[in-house]
Amino acid sequence: MVENRFSVRQTEQGRFLYVIGSLPTGFHGEMDGDIWRCPLDAANAAAIQKELPWAAPERVGLRKSVGCGDRLGIATPGHLRAIREGEMFPVLAQQSIREMQRAQRSPQQVLDDAMWGIIQADYRDGWGCDADHLKDIESVDACVAAGYLGYTLDPGAFVDDEANEAMPAELEQKAIALPWQELQTTYETNAAFHSQRITRINYLRAAAKYGRALAHVLYLTRRIQSQLQDFDLEISVDETNTVTTLAEHRYIVEELRRLDIPFTGIAPRFVGEFEKGVDYIGDLKQFETQYEQHVALAHELGGYKLSIHSGSDKFSIYPIVARFDLVHLKTAGTSWVEALRVIAEAAPDLFRRILDLAIEGYTTNRASYHVSGEVSNIRRTADLATLIDQFDAREVLHVSFGPVLAQFRTEIYQVLYANYEDYLEVLHRHFRRHILPFSTISQSS
């Protein structure tokens, strides 16, 4: 097999797989001159992984990593330009079921689109995938069927935030009422198990707050294990109203190990605000102090990464977080917002219509996202691209992708295909700012 006989190219009509020579078994396409032009569909995706093993995803494990979510499915080559300059392992197929549904994509499409981007960029150094924020069995099954090797479980609906302020007597009643059979122990046995490492009041608060969530994590994990033997697993409790204390961090990790859940990372709820698509909001010194304490505890307990969710554009905290090698930085919607930057410059009329729709639907769009931007604060300007950098406009646009794609999908792709190199370079510049702070070369220069 000739190494370069397969390539993925972008045209104004879209992306296609081009094959030089005879078409191997399992592929389908049509002749375009003297080469084959093949659609980027699931059948050709499965076939090319047999021809190019390096194009298939792999487990990430404990490598320092960055998740590069892509709501449009065409951003991977731009992400990889930045990846090549840094030292973070790329997790390129990463999207939550919620966002897949809003973007009208399937788990298979998300995985395959990242793989096509790998081939397009001729990137052969390995990449990971993340079935992000899974909450139910149906989502787990869909992602296992698609071939994901990384899973982020989100039991946030089972976290009891009221336990954060409850009095001891109420906490004890909450703890006694936990589903102990599902947790494979009893209240008395579990309390004794933690008594050497956590004070009784801290144990009661941690168990009351996270016990049901851990039972749900166990339920979802066993479902994955019934279908896969080797996978990465992250446990996310970041999308809750109350901060994860050090005692709660310890309780979660020790319960995961007691239950024999093979996790590679956890995403606590850190102090401060991690809103979508904007920088960290809060006291940086307070965050640094708390993060260093979580890092010290993770070192003590050993063998897993701390994951920073809603991590895109949190430039002020990267120098703090980057001191710890066992880290995963998760980004998602920032690539979508940066695509809108390109549209603002190349197709201003389309951008104005997108902004109008985003503003009109913001009350609905923001409901399931952690944002504080307000439509009334958006300052319209003749230089439309500068709106992308306004806090309020950026958040309004960030959460609007579902209805915007539903109404303007064809036009958006047409503009991005026609200005694809500009889009990739915008992503390259933007993601360098995310990735280079985690490079030892950058830190030492």
Side-chain angles (χ1 to χ4, degrees), residues 3 5 18 21 30 53 84 97-98 115 117 120 144 162 164 168 180 199 217 223 250 280 282 346 352 408 444:
E3 278 291 313
R5 66 176 300 208
Y18 290 89
E30 58 185 22
R84 282 181 158 125
I97 295 295
R98 173 184 65 187
M115 185 206 64
Q120 182 176 344
V144 171
E162 292 181 359
N164 208 60
W180 291 109
T199 65
V217 166
R223 184 70 170 200
R250 181 185 291 277
Y280 175 78
R352 291 188 186 96
F408 300 116
S444 62

Side-chain angles (χ1 to χ4, degrees), residues 140-416:
V140 166
D141 287 349
C143 293
V144 171
Y148 282 78
L149 299 177
Y151 297 82
T152 296
L153 303 184
D154 179 357
F158 297 88
V159 173
D160 185 353
D161 281 315
E162 292 181 359
N164 208 60
E165 301 294 335
M167 299 301 288
E170 183 182 357
L171 289 174
E172 185 166 24
Q173 290 306 308
K174 286 176 177 288
I176 290 171
L178 290 174
W180 291 109
Q181 186 173 358
E182 295 175 33
L183 289 167
Q184 301 176 2
T185 186
T186 66
Y187 166 58
E188 294 79 10
T189 301
N190 195 247
F193 174 76
H194 289 283
S195 63
Q196 299 301 312
R197 296 166 296 276
I198 305 176
T199 65
R200 179 167 176 76
I201 187 62
N202 283 342
Y203 164 73
L204 289 173
R205 200 173 303 282
K209 185 175 177 180
Y210 291 109
R212 293 184 188 278
L214 286 164
H216 190 62
V217 166
L218 179 62
Y219 173 60
L220 296 181
T221 301
R222 294 295 181 255
R223 184 70 170 200
I224 299 171
Q225 289 177 314
S226 71
Q227 303 171 76
L228 285 179
Q229 291 185 333
D230 197 25
F231 57 91
D232 290 318
L233 186 69
E234 179 179 298
I235 312 304
S236 168
V237 293
D238 71 295
E239 292 189 356
T240 58
N241 295 324
T242 55
V243 170
T244 305
T245 67
L246 291 175
E248 291 163 354
H249 177 164
R250 181 185 291 277
Y251 166 81
I252 290 169
V253 169
E254 293 186 344
E255 281 294 284
L256 291 172
R257 288 181 171 155
R258 181 185 67 79
L259 292 165
D260 197 25
I261 295 174
F263 70 103
T264 50
I266 65 169
R269 169 66 163 88
F270 293 108
V271 69
E273 301 300 329
F274 288 74
E275 296 191 9
K276 299 296 184 181
V278 296
D279 206 345
Y280 175 78
I281 302 171
D283 186 324
L284 277 176
K285 188 62 180 176
Q286 184 184 20
F287 172 80
E288 181 177 23
T289 298
Q290 190 210 51
Y291 187 77
E292 287 178 348
Q293 291 171 341
H294 279 286
V295 167
L297 181 57
H299 272 300
E300 175 192 337
L301 300 176
Y304 60 94
K305 297 193 285 190
L306 291 180
S307 188
I308 311 296
H309 285 208
S310 298
S312 60
D313 308 294
K314 303 298 181 290
F315 303 114
S316 63
I317 70 167
Y318 295 159
I320 299 169
V321 176
R323 299 172 195 163
F324 184 42
D325 279 340
L326 290 177
V327 63
H328 177 64
L329 178 69
K330 185 168 291 192
T331 77
T334 193
S335 296
W336 157 255
V337 179
E338 292 304 309
L340 297 180
R341 186 188 302 278
V342 176
I343 292 171
E345 294 178 345
D349 289 342
L350 174 59
F351 179 81
R352 291 188 186 96
R353 285 182 284 148
I354 288 172
L355 179 60
D356 288 342
L357 183 63
I359 289 173
E360 179 186 340
Y362 183 54
T363 300
T364 300
N365 298 336
R366 71 185 297 181
S368 56
Y369 287 97
H370 185 42
V371 290
S372 64
E374 295 296 340
V375 167
S376 59
N377 293 333
I378 295 177
R379 303 181 305 280
R380 289 183 180 263
T381 172
D383 186 358
L384 296 178
T386 63
L387 280 166
I388 304 297
D389 299 316
Q390 286 185 24
F391 178 97
D392 299 276
R394 192 172 180 87
E395 292 203 327
V396 169
L397 290 166
H398 188 290
V399 301
S400 71
F401 68 98
V404 167
L405 282 174
Q407 185 161 333
F408 300 116
R409 180 182 301 271
T410 299
E411 293 173 82
I412 286 170
Y413 279 98
Q414 285 175 342
V415 172
L416 293 177

